[in-house]
Amino acid sequence: MNNAIKATISFIKEQYKTENFIPLHVPHFGGNEKKYLLETIDSTFVSSVGAYVDQFEVMMQNITNTQRAVAVVNGTAAIQVALRLIGVKAGDEVLTQALTFVATANAIAYQNATPVFLDVDLDTMGLSPNSVAVFLEEFGDLREDGCYNKKTGKKISACLPMHTFGFPVHLDELIEVCDKWKIPVLEDAAESLGSEYKGKSTGSFGKLGAFSFNGNKIVTCGGGGAIVTNDLKLGEKGKYLTTTAKIPHPYEYVHDEMGYNFRMPNLNAALACAQLEQLDNFLENKRTLAKQYESFFASNGVKFRTETPNTKANYWLMCVELENKSDRDLFLKVTNDNNVMTRPIWQLMYRLPMYSNCQRDKQLNAEFLEERIVNIPSSVR
Ligand SMILES: *Cc1c(COP(=O)(O)O)cnc(C)c1O
């Protein structure tokens, strides 16, 4: 094991051509970032309206091939508002995975709803259609107005799968199960910009999709998010809710619902547009690195995670699967001690105090992956 780790450290240092600290993921500013930012400052439109916000929304519609994209302040807010748009109300339940970044569960809690944690698939590391089906067979109660949980009596008003590290979940199967039980799907596509399932963009399969442009994501605008949908009415409602629910009027303030100030500032949108112009290059660059990792790890007996059939991963954060927890711990220690940043996958959500009492299934796959998956440096070179 130790030799494989040493070889890994040398290999990663060669890839990034440095002996200095190698982070997990840093932004790459190789395009029009400075130009667009300066233009924005010169125009004085730095805040919540401006040409780049509109341009960003059109670019996201084109990239995801959806009818409407709405720019918002961050990915968490995108999920929160999308949950409201999809019909999640206080006291409802949302089916999701425990193996995710905390924002997925937090967004549900902000809607005063409760997550129900179901297991992931071993191949995708995302919500398993089978665990959803098994759970609903036992607890689902299909009524006129939707699906209820037999155990709690609460309405299950959405299903929120997350495409872990940019590897798409089994979308067709998941949507089939959810349709059968009248549960609308919202994709947490925060990590999967540029990933495809059967040739179509992740985020475009559910009723709504949510993306993040945080500093550590494949494309960043400092901080930002987007909601996408093919339902124009929902899209317009999303724009309206995230811009304080204001009724258009030449000078009066008229608000007829509790909205949010979740706008993306034009400064951030300028950065986002410059970054999105480079998305195809980033995807290609990462794919090349993934191929190099794949053949390196294959010859060292370490399992490097690759995309599943019928999908194209964006390889946002690349990862290896170690044999067991003690191998994982050794790998983490030695790499980090040698200037190569690596990080374990997240702790499962029900280990966190605020989500420890949520209903969940057996989580065999999630717990297996929790002990073995480690992210390795994945930045664009
Ligand atoms: C990054 C991320 C988010 C949240 O995005 P922010 O823009 O940081 O709010 C949500 N879900 C997942 C799975 C993420 O990785």
Side-chain angles (χ1 to χ4, degrees), residues 26 36 51 62 84 88 104 116 196 246 297 337 348:
V26 287
Y36 293 174
N62 292 339
R84 177 162 160 191
V88 174
T104 315
V116 173
E196 291 174 5
K246 185 176 182 292
F297 283 115
D337 280 351
L348 301 177

Side-chain angles (χ1 to χ4, degrees), residues 232-251:
L232 279 174
K233 254 179 83 178
L234 273 189
E236 281 319 307
K237 182 92 195 263
K239 186 72 186 177
Y240 158 84
L241 284 179
T242 54
T243 55
T244 70
K246 185 176 182 292
I247 308 270
H249 189 283
Y251 45 84

